[in-house]
Every structure is written in C-alpha cells, then in structure tokens.
Amino acid sequence: MDVLPILIDWLPYLLSGIVSTLGLVLVALGLGVLLGLPMALGQVYGARPIRWVVGVYVWFFRGLPILVLLFLFWFGIFPAIGLGHLSAFVVGAVVLGLRGAAYQSQIFRGAIQSVGEGQMIAARSLGMSRLTAIRSVILPQAMRIALPGWSNEYPNILTDSAVCYAIGVVELLTITSRIVTQTHITIPIYLAAAGIFIVLNYGGLKLLHGLEKRIAIPGFGTGAM
C-alpha cells in the first residue's frame, strides 16, 4: 500500500485537530495564571487558614494523575454540582487549568519570595499600602523571574492535553485515532501526529523564550538565569 498519498489526503483533517489542542492549552494556561497567581500571593502574604487551603489544593491536584482528575470531574464532580451539561472540551480545559494552577502557583510563589523582603519594606517606607506595594513593586519583578519556569508549563499542558481523548474531546489524538480506524494505517499516522506535537511544542517554547529575552533586565531575574 502506498502510504504517502493517503497521508496527504488525510493531512487537512489531521491538522484540524491543532485548533482544539491549542485551544485546550491556551485556556488551561490562562486559567492557571488566574488561579495560580492569587494562590501564590495567599501562600506568601495570606493568613494561616489561607495558606492551609492553598496547600491542600496544591497537594490534591499535584498528587493525582491527570487521567484520574479528568474522570473524577467528568463523571463525578461536575454532574454532582449540576454541571453535567458541560462539553468534553470545557471539562478538559478546566481540569487542565485547575491542575496547571497548582503547579503555576508554586512557580509564582518562589518568584515572589525571591524578590526579597527589603523591597516590601522600602515600598512601605515610601507610604505605599501593602496591596499597592505588592501590585506595583513586588509583582512586576516576580513575573519576570517566574517567566522561565512558567514557560515550561506550556509543553507540560500540551502533552497532557492528549489525555483529554479519554473523555471524548475531539483534539489531535482523537482525530489521529479516527484516521487510523478508517485507513488501518498505524505507524505513519501516529508518526505524523507526533511530528505535529513536536512542532507545536518547539514553536510555542520558541515564542515564550523570545518573550523572556524581550522583557529580561540584564543582571536581574530572567537575565541573570
């Protein structure tokens, strides 16, 4: 069997899975920042109950495999709280984001703590409130420091997104499996999908590393790493 013509015929359908895959990744990354940054601030500056709640959250989402979390939310938690109508894509993106937030919160926490207490003392001595000092002095420095570590979450979420196939999300791996079923060609099709994942991984990291260099301050934060 001549495999190349078949691959060419099915390539547009295979490439259509990129949209769903990148959608999962971008939504999960955004949700991770929205949840992870406040949790990091809570761990550094919050009261003991807040630190305890965040610690339990991080322990839970980092301690379970992504497949277990997907099944837990898809079959259990969301239906139990009246959200069983959510699509597989939404559930997959939310679970990836919730898990990503657990990891990203620790990246942000380490970056915030690395700024140093002297920055807060100096800001307060100038008359800033604690909240203003965090927003205007601490976070701008911490985000630069956190960017290299945060960038590594992109390939982690990208590879985890393939597991969403298990709950029916029509992403790259789902489409690949459908093509294999239709053509009965396995290795070339899966190799093509693997190549697409590698390109997405490399391309995304290239963009993020370019952003790191763009905002880096020589001798500080990302520029010192």
Side-chain angles (χ1 to χ4, degrees):
M1 180 184 296
D2 195 352
V3 175
L4 185 58
I6 297 175
L7 277 174
I8 294 174
D9 288 341
W10 285 94
L11 187 59
Y13 184 46
L14 184 62
L15 293 176
S16 69
I18 294 176
V19 176
S20 294
T21 295
L22 286 180
L24 286 170
V25 173
L26 294 177
V27 172
L29 276 174
L31 183 59
V33 173
L34 289 176
L35 295 177
L37 187 54
M39 285 194 294
L41 292 170
Q43 281 192 306
V44 177
Y45 299 111
R48 180 174 294 181
I50 294 176
R51 296 198 301 269
W52 183 85
V53 170
V54 174
V56 170
Y57 178 97
V58 171
W59 169 80
F60 177 81
F61 280 96
R62 293 178 65 175
L64 292 178
I66 183 62
L67 186 59
V68 174
L69 289 171
L70 283 170
F71 285 165
L72 183 62
F73 278 84
W74 177 248
F75 294 112
I77 293 177
F78 281 157
I81 62 177
L83 296 176
H85 61 281
L86 293 177
S87 68
F89 177 88
V90 172
V91 173
V94 168
V95 172
L96 287 173
L98 292 174
R99 188 169 190 258
Y103 286 94
Q104 292 179 43
S105 69
Q106 300 312 291
I107 295 171
F108 296 138
R109 178 184 61 81
I112 292 169
Q113 289 177 328
S114 71
V115 173
E117 186 63 25
Q119 297 284 332
M120 175 64 75
I121 295 173
R124 295 300 300 274
S125 68
L126 293 174
M128 294 184 185
S129 67
R130 190 176 182 84
L131 181 60
T132 301
I134 292 172
R135 184 179 66 246
S136 301
V137 177
I138 305 298
L139 283 182
Q141 299 178 69
M143 295 307 288
R144 282 187 169 93
I145 298 170
L147 186 55
W150 181 82
S151 298
N152 291 329
E153 278 298 291
Y154 170 80
N156 292 337
I157 295 176
L158 178 63
T159 52
D160 283 346
S161 69
V163 184
C164 294
Y165 161 82
I167 62 171
V169 180
V170 184
E171 43 72 63
L172 185 56
L173 182 59
T174 306
I175 290 176
T176 302
S177 298
R178 290 178 179 178
I179 295 174
V180 169
T181 301
Q182 292 289 324
T183 63
H184 303 289
I185 299 172
T186 54
I187 294 179
I189 300 295
Y190 281 118
L191 283 176
I196 293 173
F197 272 111
I198 290 172
V199 170
L200 291 177
N201 196 334
Y202 178 79
L205 282 176
K206 195 75 173 177
L207 290 173
L208 290 171
H209 290 161
L211 178 61
E212 291 175 29
K213 293 179 181 179
R214 186 176 181 85
I215 69 172
I217 298 176
F220 173 79
T222 57
M225 293 184 178

